[in-house]
Amino acid sequence: MEHNVNVALVVGVSGITGSHLAKELISEKWTTYGLARNPNIELDTLIPVTADLLDKNQLSHALKEASPTHVFITTWMKKESEEDNIKVNGTMVRNLLEILSPKKSVQHVSLVTGLKHYLGPFDEFVKPGTAFETPLREERPRLALPNFYYAQEDEVFAAAARDGFYWNVHRPHTVIGHTVGNLMNMGTTLAVYASICKYTNTPFRWPGSEAQWNGLSDVVDARLLAKQLIWAVKTPEAHNEAFNTANGDVFRWSWLWKQLAAWFEIEYEGYTGLVKPLENEMADKQEIWSKIANEYRLVESNLSKLASAWHTDLDLGRPIEVMTDMTNSRKLGFTEFQSTKESFYDLFEQLREKRIIP
């Protein structure tokens, strides 16, 4: 029963961003619906909505009883080409907002995208020799490239013009937090890789580029991203704006890599002159992970459900340093901060407690 003034619909509730956002909303006493194809999140008061955003009939039926005031879109689907990414991800946002439109309940829509807004889509992702000015700022114009983030934004903007709601776009750097089966999960991927290194007594090898090893970087904790999403909704001056999202500190991987190795009590190897993709390193590790899972009675023995090496390689293999500017949200009053080292350490503790890693 919807009895609160604020009724949230978290789209993609089973992902890193969506699950942490739902938890934060519930802690603030929002009535919270969580939509996913399999919304199997462990939150007692979450109202699960099982639906495929590409199936309008199913989606309409699933949302029949829901009249959200605030919609948070935190999901996307990866296809074989950027053309297909644009078609599918734009359709998902359009279907959702068209189905909600007749209810006339939506006051605000928040869309979570990311730094590919500035760096380019998977097919054109930052080529060597590309000139970029860092930190990345929200006023940077769109690239003259097809990009499914732009398609998602345009669907939100069109629906806002039609239905009269406010909007925000949030562009986090790599999100660190706990979930299983997420397409972009650097923290868990590195935890699994480090666990394999420890078990096999091999060095924790840096897989990325020299620019990433030596350059400045930042990431965002899923808990901080959740706070920014809710802050922007509650702050009228922040409405109809796009915001970068990061922890607030910067680091070099040449420093952080050592810290991660230290947590696992393993030796590390830094940049040695060559990029050594983690996807190649992990390609033949299923048998080893099965042994680890059996020996330590872990809850997931399927390596592919835990590690997303391909996306970690995209982040760590960039030929440029990448960090974001947070001036716009800071000036409007968003002052949350999170230590990046502690983001990883907190995640590792949680993964160990849940028996995801030994």
Side-chain angles (χ1 to χ4, degrees), residues 76 78 81-83 85-86 114-127 132 142-150 310 314:
W76 67 286
K78 186 177 187 295
S81 69
E82 193 62 18
E83 181 181 354
N85 283 336
I86 290 168
L115 296 196
K116 286 188 293 297
H117 182 94
Y118 310 109
L119 302 175
F122 294 121
D123 293 352
E124 297 286 342
F125 201 61
V126 192
K127 302 289 179 65
F132 273 92
R142 288 182 175 185
L143 299 172
L145 293 168
N147 191 320
F148 79 87
Y149 283 170
Y150 305 162
W310 69 274
L314 277 178

Side-chain angles (χ1 to χ4, degrees), residues 6 89 92 120-121 124-125 174 179 190 264 316 326 328:
N6 293 321
N89 289 284
M92 291 196 301
E124 297 286 342
F125 201 61
T174 302
T179 193
L190 293 181
F264 285 94
L316 301 185
M326 291 279 287
N328 287 352

Side-chain angles (χ1 to χ4, degrees), residues 10 25 42 56 71 94 131 157 176-177 193-194 216 227 231 237 244 246 254 273 302 355:
V10 178
L25 288 164
E42 299 174 1
K56 286 191 76 172
V71 179
R94 183 168 62 254
F157 299 158
I176 306 301
Y193 173 49
L216 290 172
K227 290 180 184 299
W231 162 83
E237 297 81 4
N244 291 333
S254 57
N302 187 340
R355 296 184 19 247

Side-chain angles (χ1 to χ4, degrees), residues 11-13 35 37 53 72-77 89 92-93 111-112 148 152:
V11 183
V13 73
L35 189 152
R37 282 176 293 181
L53 291 168
F72 300 90
I73 302 171
T74 72
T75 192
W76 67 286
M77 185 180 294
N89 289 284
M92 291 196 301
V93 175
L111 173 67
V112 179
F148 79 87
Q152 288 181 308

Side-chain angles (χ1 to χ4, degrees), residues 103 162 205 290 315:
K103 297 175 183 285
R162 178 189 68 216
R205 295 189 177 93
S290 295
D315 275 2

